[in-house]
Amino acid sequence: MEIRSSNNRNGMLFYIWFDWQTAQIKFNLISDYDTTLPFGCEIEITNKLEPIIEEFLRFPYHDGFPFEEVSDDDEQMEEGVKGETLKVFLFKLNR
């Protein structure tokens, strides 16, 4: 519906990723005018949705992070995560 009602003459980019901080699979739809996705980290574009779903299913903290695992070392953990590549499923929707 959003694509049909859009005044955009271009297509749209539909993309999905697993957000480990919220333990959720997220998706978005943007114009393909600019193909740069709005992530501040390295991304790996995939044409298969399965790796993202598998990453979500294997994630051990769907009910939250145990308090025992929260520590002053969180900065080190954050820096380690910043170096990881985010898998993003990308699909172009033509107008």
Side-chain angles (χ1 to χ4, degrees), residues 34-50:
D34 180 10
T35 59
T36 304
L37 297 180
F39 293 104
C41 63
E42 289 281 325
I43 62 171
E44 175 187 335
I45 302 294
T46 178
N47 60 357
K48 294 183 178 183
L49 189 53
E50 290 82 4

Side-chain angles (χ1 to χ4, degrees), residues 10-42:
N10 299 323
M12 302 289 281
L13 296 176
F14 176 72
Y15 59 99
I16 298 174
W17 71 99
F18 171 59
D19 181 352
W20 68 270
Q21 291 179 320
T22 61
Q24 297 174 341
I25 292 179
K26 298 200 173 189
F27 65 93
N28 200 7
L29 184 67
I30 60 173
S31 168
D32 74 346
Y33 176 75
D34 180 10
T35 59
T36 304
L37 297 180
F39 293 104
C41 63
E42 289 281 325

Side-chain angles (χ1 to χ4, degrees), residues 58-69:
R58 284 191 316 264
F59 190 68
Y61 303 113
H62 288 283
D63 293 326
F65 292 96
F67 186 74
E68 301 82 46
E69 293 192 25

